[in-house]
Amino acid sequence: MELNNLSHNDFLTSQRNIVGEKNVITDEKKAAGYSKGFRFGSGKVLAVIIPNSLIELWRVAKSCVEADIIMIMQAANTGLTGGSTPHGEYDRHVVIISTTKLQSIQLLDEGKQVVSFPGSRLYELEKALEVYDREPHSVIGSSCIGASIVGGVCNNSGGALIQRGPAYTEMALYARIDENQQLTLINHLGIHLGEDPEEILNTLEKQIYINKDIEYPERAASDNEYQERVRDVDADTPSRFNNDSRRLYETSGCAGKLIVFAVRLDTFPKVKQDRVFYIGSNDTSTLTRLRRDILSDFKNLPVAGEYVHRSYFDVCDKYGKDSFIVIQKTGSENMPKLFALKNKVDRIFNKLPFLPKNLSDKMLQTIAHLFPDHIPKKIRQYRDQYEHHLMLHMSDDGINEAKNYLSEFFANNEGEYFECTDDEGKRAFLNRFVAGGAAKRYHTLNPQFGNLLSLDIALRRNETEWFETLPPEIDNLIIEKLYTGHFMCHVMHQDYFLKPGVDENAVKEQLLAFLDQKGAEYPAEHNVGQLYKAKEPLKKFYKENDPTNTLNPGIGKTQRGKYWKD
């Protein structure tokens, strides 16, 4: 494959002239941290390019368009489905453009809204909003591993917070490659920044606009209809999912099919008081009734309602303890650095044939077990007593509403609950939110497993059989299953540890066909990535955003060729 009127060396030289020598990575081993996904996906690239400014990002994008090069936009590379890494064969050369250095957060209207650059992360926004007693869309979960704000918008990320719905905005500054392969900058931020692309980007980056330049148009900066939607427990469709056409808009859900320079989002007031109620049950119908009652009848919606099955509780407890301790002791902001350090150590260790495989995981596992028990005694008692666990996080007036309801409910229903102290509540939620990394390590350190298959699904809002019972022909192919999820939204994360030699793709197709029969949608809150097929409404949205198929081709198992050819 050749470049348009350029040699490879000439193209790479042009990129070094834009971003600097050290920000163009061509060495395959050094590029691996970008070209290999957090949990899935990897492939070869011509280079990893790391712009230092929005103007550099614009210039890099323009030169790639002129050279007819595929661009894969990447922020934190924390996705679980390979949605921002290469995969398979392409008809043109591929570069990854990493936005990790483009970190800026600009607060508007005393923090009621925020403008975020593509490399900014959730935990940085949490810190920036503290002075205004406000919070971002999501405050834990993905933020633990350093997920970017823009990545959440582009990937329909849902988050755990019931009152806020999926990450969504209609206000963004982005570039689109049109049908004639021309790059156009589109300013829908609602801020007057100038006319010329580089003038616009410079004005934004240096924040030299003034208050009169800021408009408040009739464009949403969050999913302000979600509370009403999630309360409709009799609806025959899921509350939120990746393919939901009502929440596909320009950058929202674009999955890297646009080059995003900034998004404008709403923020939310911090609660004055909060409390976690820990609920245990051995009967799924108990939790079904509880969910329907709370969503239908409560005046105050919960902040969050997280479900964990006993099996996943145990995996988090044992294999996520090191992450738990790091986040608890030092905060989530250190997790990306530690993940990067671990990956670097792994690359070094893997070169040494005399060392055992997965040495860093084994070392971290051993070190974690030297620390005292991190699970509160009462919660551990519930683990032994109950199969199904629900953490109900309430705030302000909702605390007494939940107390009164739960005391009456469990006087007449199976199961029980207790009111957590602040420390117990934080530990309960933290043990839940180390699940993704814990499952990965559980798989890594147990050679008896075959492949690990993970699904992210949205069940119908009226679904009563939410706890999965698989048909024997599928169940017999699996050694172990783990279940957790955002229970009130009916968004479930399910991990399947297959028997050795079992075809992962064949099992996935069987599972998805089974879910289709139940009216479920997938993925629920992650990018379709390389694991899921984009359904027609989503594919149409991608084509509208990227008619030349230059940005992230192949996403959602779509065509990889230019102009959407096979």
Side-chain angles (χ1 to χ4, degrees):
M1 291 181 287
E2 294 300 321
L3 309 182
N4 278 1
N5 303 315
L6 278 178
S7 70
H8 296 173
N9 288 337
D10 287 343
F11 171 78
L12 295 173
T13 297
S14 72
Q15 300 312 295
R16 293 184 182 105
N17 289 337
I18 296 171
V19 302
E21 181 80 27
K22 67 178 181 179
N23 292 320
V24 178
I25 302 172
T26 56
D27 180 84
E28 189 173 334
K29 292 178 181 177
K30 291 180 180 179
Y34 302 88
S35 60
K36 184 176 181 181
F38 173 71
R39 195 161 169 179
F40 179 85
S42 64
K44 291 185 178 182
V45 295
L46 180 62
V48 176
I49 304 170
I50 311 172
N52 299 284
S53 68
L54 297 183
I55 288 177
E56 286 188 6
L57 173 57
W58 169 256
R59 291 172 179 170
V60 167
K62 278 192 71 178
S63 61
C64 287
V65 171
E66 290 165 2
D68 199 18
I69 285 180
I70 287 170
M71 290 173 276
I72 297 179
M73 303 302 300
Q74 185 182 97
N77 194 18
T78 58
L80 303 181
T81 61
S84 60
T85 51
H87 184 75
E89 298 295 324
Y90 298 89
D91 64 344
R92 292 152 287 170
H93 284 289
V94 179
V95 299
I96 291 173
I97 301 178
S98 171
T99 62
T100 51
K101 291 190 176 184
L102 307 180
Q103 296 185 6
S104 179
I105 291 171
Q106 300 175 3
L107 303 182
L108 308 179
D109 193 17
E110 297 184 321
K112 293 184 179 66
Q113 289 190 327
V114 59
V115 173
S116 172
F117 286 16
S120 299
R121 308 191 190 208
L122 282 165
Y123 60 77
E124 294 159 355
L125 181 53
E126 286 183 58
K127 297 289 185 185
L129 290 172
E130 283 178 354
V131 66
Y132 293 109
D133 244 9
R134 298 184 73 83
E135 293 178 332
H137 163 265
S138 183
V139 295
I140 199 169
S142 294
S143 58
C144 291
I145 54 174
S148 72
I149 299 163
V150 167
V153 172
C154 295
N155 295 329
N156 301 101
S157 297
L161 303 184
I162 300 164
Q163 300 166 11
R164 301 179 192 176
Y168 180 75
T169 188
E170 296 170 3
M171 306 175 79
L173 175 66
Y174 63 92
R176 177 179 180 267
I177 305 168
D178 67 18
E179 295 81 354
N180 300 313
Q181 202 163 338
Q182 297 297 311
L183 189 68
T184 306
L185 187 68
I186 298 168
N187 181 12
H188 287 165
L189 270 182
I191 305 174
H192 182 68
L193 299 168
E195 303 301 328
D196 175 75
E198 294 205 2
E199 177 193 3
I200 289 170
L201 296 170
N202 182 64
T203 302
L204 178 63
E205 189 140 41
K206 294 182 178 177
Q207 203 171 352
I208 53 179
Y209 56 87
I210 57 178
N211 283 338
K212 72 175 185 178
D213 294 322
I214 305 172
E215 300 172 345
Y216 294 88
E218 293 294 317
R219 284 173 174 260
S222 62
D223 188 351
N224 49 28
E225 301 170 345
Y226 188 71
Q227 290 196 26
E228 181 180 351
R229 184 173 176 84
V230 77
R231 282 184 180 276
D232 187 0
V233 294
D234 292 316
D236 202 35
T237 56
S239 57
R240 54 180 168 92
F241 53 100
N242 196 273
N243 192 48
D244 186 358
S245 57
R246 58 182 282 280
R247 283 298 174 254
L248 298 175
Y249 189 94
E250 295 180 352
T251 59
S252 294
C254 74
K257 287 298 199 176
L258 298 169
I259 300 168
V260 184
F261 292 86
V263 295
R264 181 171 166 181
L265 295 162
D266 290 332
T267 68
F268 304 86
K270 271 189 176 180
V271 301
K272 295 180 177 65
Q273 291 181 305
D274 65 339
R275 193 63 46 84
V276 173
F277 298 90
Y278 202 96
I279 297 162
S281 174
N282 288 314
D283 187 346
T284 56
S285 65
T286 298
L287 298 187
T288 300
R289 287 194 296 274
L290 184 146
R291 173 183 173 272
R292 290 181 62 86
D293 288 351
I294 290 173
L295 292 179
S296 300
D297 302 332
F298 271 33
K299 182 179 179 180
N300 303 280
L301 276 177
V303 175
E306 292 298 297
Y307 168 79
V308 183
H309 186 260
R310 178 191 280 154
S311 59
Y312 222 143
F313 179 105
D314 291 345
V315 168
C316 294
D317 176 18
K318 183 175 180 180
Y319 294 92
K321 186 176 180 180
D322 59 316
S323 295
F324 181 108
I325 293 167
V326 169
I327 296 167
Q328 183 195 43
K329 300 294 184 185
T330 70
S332 62
E333 61 266 26
N334 291 304
M335 289 303 291
K337 296 176 184 176
L338 293 174
F339 273 116
L341 177 61
K342 179 185 179 299
N343 290 336
K344 185 175 181 179
V345 169
D346 285 340
R347 288 196 295 271
I348 294 171
F349 283 178
N350 289 341
K351 296 176 186 176
L352 305 175
F354 55 86
L355 291 179
K357 290 184 178 180
N358 309 312
L359 182 58
S360 68
D361 286 288
K362 292 174 182 177
M363 290 169 62
L364 290 169
Q365 195 69 11
T366 301
I367 292 168
H369 284 291
L370 298 177
F371 284 79
D373 191 1
H374 58 302
I375 302 295
K377 183 178 179 181
K378 184 70 173 176
I379 294 176
R380 201 166 284 290
Q381 289 173 350
Y382 266 51
R383 180 264 166 226
D384 296 337
Q385 191 172 353
Y386 296 108
E387 181 181 0
H388 306 285
H389 298 239
L390 178 64
M391 291 158 279
L392 187 66
H393 185 184
M394 302 298 300
S395 64
D396 300 331
D397 293 341
I399 296 172
N400 283 330
E401 188 174 18
K403 280 183 183 180
N404 295 334
Y405 168 79
L406 292 172
S407 62
E408 183 177 338
F409 180 86
F410 282 108
N412 302 295
N413 287 279
E414 176 271 343
E416 62 177 321
Y417 79 99
F418 74 94
E419 187 176 331
C420 294
T421 65
D422 286 346
D423 182 63
E424 288 171 335
K426 289 175 182 175
R427 287 173 181 264
F429 267 84
L430 191 47
N431 189 55
R432 151 70 181 96
F433 281 115
V434 298
K440 181 180 177 183
R441 178 173 293 164
Y442 182 45
H443 179 257
T444 297
L445 296 183
N446 287 276
Q448 75 272 22
F449 294 133
N451 289 325
L452 169 60
L453 174 60
S454 300
L455 293 183
D456 161 38
I457 65 170
L459 300 173
R460 296 175 304 169
R461 283 169 280 175
N462 63 358
E463 180 64 72
T464 56
E465 301 299 321
W466 53 268
F467 188 70
E468 188 173 75
T469 301
L470 292 174
E473 62 270 21
I474 302 177
D475 204 41
N476 290 336
L477 303 174
I478 300 167
I479 297 177
E480 189 168 354
K481 303 180 289 289
L482 304 178
Y483 297 98
T484 187
H486 313 307
F487 187 63
M488 297 294 167
C489 303
H490 259 188
V491 167
M492 303 298 289
H493 301 295
Q494 306 184 166
D495 291 301
Y496 306 88
F497 297 80
L498 307 182
K499 293 180 178 179
V502 169
D503 185 338
E504 176 185 0
N505 291 323
V507 175
K508 185 178 76 170
E509 291 306 313
Q510 289 178 277
L511 284 167
L512 295 183
F514 173 74
L515 291 168
D516 287 339
Q517 294 174 4
K518 292 171 67 68
E521 291 278 357
Y522 44 83
E525 59 177 2
H526 296 152
N527 191 313
V528 287
Q530 309 295 343
L531 293 179
Y532 298 92
K533 183 178 180 180
K535 295 183 180 179
E536 282 307 312
L538 190 57
K539 186 175 178 180
K540 179 183 177 184
F541 177 66
Y542 291 162
K543 283 186 173 183
E544 290 170 352
N545 277 341
D546 182 22
T548 66
N549 205 19
T550 296
L551 290 156
N552 212 0
I555 193 78
K557 299 185 181 295
T558 57
Q559 293 94 331
R560 295 172 179 271
K562 191 172 181 179
Y563 290 108
W564 295 85
K565 295 177 182 177
D566 288 332

